[in-house]
Amino acid sequence: MTYTSPTLEQLRRCTVAVDIGAARTRVYVRNVGVVADEPSVAAVDVRTGALIAVGERAEQMAGRTPGHIRVARPVAGGAVVDIEMARRMLRHVLGDKLGKRWRRMPVLRAAVCMPHGSEPIARRAAIETLYGLGARKVELVDTLIAAAVGCGLPVEHPEATMIVVCGAGTTQVAVLSLGSIVAAETVPVGGDAIDRAVVQHLRNHHELMLPSQSVRPLHQMLGSPGTGGTVTTEVHGRDVVSGLARSVLVETEGVRHAMRTPLTSVLDAITTVLRACPPDLVADLADRGIMLAGGSALMPGLDLMLGQATGMPVHIAPRPDTVAVQGLGAMIEGRVRPMVLDPLTP
């Protein structure tokens, strides 16, 4: 099946905008705003199939459940991998916020963010997920364009704008001009890959198993390089050999180095995108710089590392985790005005 990008006129007919991410799911209702922002997690009783918890409650159960309870993540790498579980999760996340509205609308249209270069099967899974909730028409929008609009970038102008969307499962890089993508790359590296690198570093160098929910707070404790932060940080976990609880002092620079290692793929993607762009657009970027968005954009030192590697200024979007759904919301509300390029008449 061939998919084409929807026009702004088609998006203005949509009532709901959905961003189903690997880390969080967000829903925007036209003329209302964001009505749901919950982790993309569901807890299920494997004996009965009953849904026990979704969102924040289910995320708190991760790593703490007995054998008969499974914590599922129906989204991976920006794509829905378990359609039925994604439907059940969305239905409970929304609750009564959209239930009555969904039934009242004779033909409900929904817009959904999709990572750049998504496979047809991933696009089909997103459509089927919304169809299962009662939508009659689903429009797919590239996450890069939606995020650029949400950041307030002048994507409709004939000037280059570069955006890097660093999510939990993937990182997307693009240069946009005249409302379209000039060049783009998607790499399977995101916040989750960086978390795994930190966990592996602590296991290899300190023989410490770190709880999954303690990795992100550790990022904030590290601080940004060059800010005069502490040289060591105390980390609590489980000893690999004895299995007992143990605390160790970890050198922050070593953990920063472990975090930087998977990000080399992001730098390679930026280089590839720049090489694919015309020189005039690359010259625009020297002054405008790179806009950093996505849930992992606030990771300490990420903006400094990208700036040093590219030689361009790096700006972090305000509320970088919600820019995609906010941009999609602006599109369905008609707050985006594209530059009209009418054919010249003789």
Side-chain angles (χ1 to χ4, degrees):
M1 182 179 292
T2 301
Y3 296 93
T4 57
S5 300
T7 63
L8 288 176
E9 183 60 34
Q10 291 172 319
L11 290 176
R12 279 195 286 268
R13 299 172 188 163
C14 295
T15 308
V16 179
V18 183
D19 179 16
I20 310 177
R24 301 185 73 87
T25 295
R26 300 176 177 90
V27 181
Y28 187 107
V29 177
R30 185 173 62 193
N31 300 325
V32 176
V34 177
V35 298
D37 184 353
E38 293 281 346
S40 303
V41 188
V44 184
D45 189 328
V46 296
R47 299 174 302 187
T48 63
L51 198 63
I52 298 175
V54 296
E56 296 284 357
R57 286 188 58 203
E59 189 174 48
Q60 293 173 0
M61 297 181 183
R64 297 183 171 92
T65 59
H68 66 278
I69 297 178
R70 179 174 67 95
V71 176
R73 296 181 181 272
V75 184
V80 176
V81 294
D82 188 337
I83 296 176
E84 182 58 32
M85 187 60 66
R87 288 175 181 169
R88 298 175 70 183
M89 179 190 71
L90 272 175
R91 188 176 291 114
H92 284 268
V93 164
L94 297 177
D96 297 331
K97 298 173 183 175
L98 278 183
K100 296 179 181 179
R101 181 188 297 268
W102 218 281
R103 291 191 294 268
R104 279 201 310 267
M105 297 291 292
V107 181
L108 180 69
R109 292 174 178 259
V112 183
C113 291
M114 289 298 298
H116 181 78
S118 297
E119 296 291 336
I121 189 171
R123 294 173 178 266
R124 190 72 235 173
I127 292 174
E128 292 295 336
T129 299
L130 271 298
Y131 279 171
L133 292 176
R136 296 295 177 264
K137 179 68 175 176
V138 179
E139 305 288 358
L140 302 180
V141 180
D142 198 302
T143 300
L144 289 166
I145 295 179
V149 172
C151 291
L153 297 177
V155 294
E156 69 278 7
H157 294 169
E159 301 172 354
T161 55
M162 188 171 199
I163 186 167
V164 176
V165 181
C166 188
T170 60
T171 296
Q172 305 169 65
V173 184
V175 171
L176 301 96
S177 179
L178 289 174
S180 300
I181 295 175
V182 178
E185 284 286 327
T186 300
V187 292
V189 173
D192 291 345
I194 297 171
D195 290 349
R196 288 192 296 269
V198 172
V199 170
Q200 194 64 36
H201 170 81
L202 294 176
R203 182 186 180 97
N204 294 341
H205 293 82
H206 300 277
E207 297 183 346
L208 191 75
M209 289 291 292
L210 192 67
S212 59
Q213 296 183 358
S214 300
V215 181
R216 290 303 171 91
L218 178 60
H219 293 173
Q220 306 305 321
M221 293 167 62
L222 291 175
S224 300
T227 58
T230 58
V231 178
T232 60
T233 299
E234 186 177 11
V235 179
H236 305 277
R238 189 186 72 188
D239 188 274
V240 172
V241 179
S242 67
L244 301 177
R246 185 164 66 95
S247 300
V248 297
L249 289 177
V250 178
E251 292 186 1
T252 56
E253 187 56 37
V255 180
R256 289 194 193 105
H257 179 74
M259 294 167 61
R260 285 196 293 264
T261 301
L263 291 174
T264 54
S265 299
V266 177
L267 296 177
D268 292 341
I270 293 176
T271 302
T272 301
V273 169
L274 292 176
R275 286 177 177 172
C277 289
D280 291 343
L281 292 181
V282 177
D284 291 343
L285 296 175
D287 296 328
R288 303 174 70 91
I290 301 172
M291 180 63 74
L292 191 58
S296 301
L298 296 176
M299 193 168 296
L302 178 58
D303 55 337
L304 294 178
M305 190 200 73
L306 293 180
Q308 292 171 358
T310 61
M312 294 187 292
V314 178
H315 314 283
I316 300 178
R319 288 299 308 275
D321 53 338
T322 63
V323 291
V325 74
Q326 292 288 356
L328 203 53
M331 292 181 185
I332 68 175
E333 290 179 351
R335 290 186 275 122
V336 180
R337 293 288 182 266
M339 177 177 287
V340 179
L341 300 176
D342 294 326
L344 297 177
T345 55

